[in-house]
Amino acid sequence: MSRTPSARHRPASSVLVTTRNARFQQWQSYLTNRAKRTKAGRFLIQGVRPLNLALEHDWPIESLLHRIDGPPLSDWARELLATRSVEQIGVSAELMAELGEKTDTAPELIAVAKTRAPRLKDLRLQSVPLIVVFDRPTSPGNLGTLVRSANAFGADAVVVVGHGADPFDPRSVRASTGSLFAMPVVTVSSVDEILAFRDARRASGTELHIVGTDETGSVTIDAHDFGGGTVLVIGNETRGMSAAWRGACDTVVNIPIGGAASSLGAPSAGAVALYEIARQRR
């Protein structure tokens, strides 16, 4: 266990955690146990950029954990602690390394944040909307990567359909590099919810075309006109789009590739499609 920290190395904090007590075990469960994350409505934010973006976009932060031994905290960490009126908890470097999932260094700060569950009907869309759907993603890292690409290329939201990866899994949060906090990520149970949303938007005057991506698509992606409102569907990493999604699509496009690769991975296909949409709309 870490030695008692020197006061000059840490900000004043009314709560210190230096043993694997109940509170530490609760934080630790947010790293690996989806059911506990969901029940508590809490998750951990690791890394400088994700934490900065969470704060920039007014994400609800419950607590800031800060390292209390080892090298002095950086100016960034100390300024952040001095300017944020949330609970601040001092944690030993050994335990911070575990929560940061690092073997060589202990992070300066980790945030305990509240989850958000935005709803389709509450989305605020651009005049020409772009919504990205990920059909039953299995990999949290792939989900976070697609959220990052969707944010980079101007999508309104990412929608996870079916029992898929958790957006608040630490692997997803890290892979998004903070984009998770800059755009809505919605979870719905079935294709029918998207179709009902599309129909409601059409009734209010906003056209939305559902475009799937698949190697067997009948139109090459650069030949399709993405100038109108679009719901872009990215299939599951191993099985592609479900039969229900194929039936729901107005068009299925393919991305021409060469070399020895038989197909692109889901997040790569999503990034290519999003770039093409952004290129056309420029």
Side-chain angles (χ1 to χ4, degrees):
M1 189 58 58
S2 302
R3 64 184 182 279
T4 302
S6 167
R8 68 183 180 86
H9 284 175
R10 60 174 174 83
S13 183
S14 59
V15 180
L16 298 179
V17 175
T18 58
T19 63
R20 292 173 178 80
N21 60 16
R23 197 161 194 191
F24 172 81
Q25 291 173 39
Q26 185 71 51
W27 299 329
Q28 195 174 45
S29 74
Y30 299 157
L31 297 175
T32 58
N33 192 314
R34 180 174 186 169
K36 289 188 177 181
R37 273 197 308 270
T38 302
K39 182 178 180 180
R42 303 291 188 275
F43 68 107
L44 299 186
I45 303 175
Q46 308 155 322
V48 174
R49 181 170 176 78
L51 182 50
N52 280 341
L53 282 172
L55 294 168
E56 180 182 329
H57 290 278
D58 297 320
W59 197 272
I61 304 296
E62 182 176 72
S63 306
L64 283 172
L65 316 182
H66 61 86
R67 193 189 67 225
I68 57 173
D69 49 359
L73 297 182
S74 67
D75 290 342
W76 164 78
R78 297 184 70 86
E79 180 179 358
L80 196 153
L81 289 167
T83 56
R84 297 291 167 173
S85 57
V86 299
E87 180 186 36
Q88 297 178 10
I89 303 173
V91 181
S92 71
E94 180 182 355
L95 301 184
M96 285 290 280
E98 291 185 33
L99 295 176
E101 298 181 294
K102 294 180 176 292
T103 57
D104 52 346
T105 58
E108 295 184 297
L109 299 177
I110 293 174
V112 181
K114 298 179 181 179
T115 59
R116 281 178 172 171
R119 300 177 297 179
L120 277 176
K121 67 177 184 178
D122 296 329
L123 291 180
R124 299 175 63 182
L125 303 180
Q126 306 169 79
S127 57
V128 182
L130 173 57
I131 296 170
V132 181
V133 167
F134 203 163
D135 181 24
R136 302 159 296 144
T138 56
S139 163
N142 284 347
L143 174 56
T145 300
L146 186 62
V147 169
R148 179 181 183 180
S149 297
N151 182 225
F153 291 115
D156 294 280
V158 171
V159 181
V160 179
V161 179
H163 185 69
D166 178 12
F168 300 108
D169 185 295
R171 293 167 291 180
S172 173
V173 178
R174 288 195 299 267
S176 81
T177 63
S179 289
L180 175 69
F181 309 116
M183 67 183 307
V185 179
V186 181
T187 300
V188 301
S189 60
S190 70
V191 178
D192 292 340
E193 292 184 58
I194 301 292
L195 296 180
F197 172 77
R198 177 203 59 187
D199 294 344
R201 291 290 173 161
R202 281 180 172 174
S204 65
T206 300
E207 191 59 44
L208 285 173
H209 294 276
I210 300 178
V211 181
T213 55
D214 190 84
E215 61 192 42
T216 63
S218 58
V219 182
T220 58
I221 192 166
D222 57 332
H224 180 76
D225 181 3
F226 285 103
T230 301
V231 176
L232 177 71
V233 182
I234 308 299
N236 172 270
E237 295 97 325
T238 56
R239 297 183 295 278
M241 288 190 297
S242 67
W245 270 117
R246 287 181 180 277
C249 287
D250 299 302
T251 306
V252 179
V253 299
N254 71 77
I255 300 172
I257 61 172
S262 60
S263 63
L264 293 175
S268 298
V272 171
L274 285 161
Y275 173 79
E276 175 60 21
I277 294 169
R279 184 192 69 81
Q280 289 189 23
R281 292 184 175 186
R282 283 199 300 271

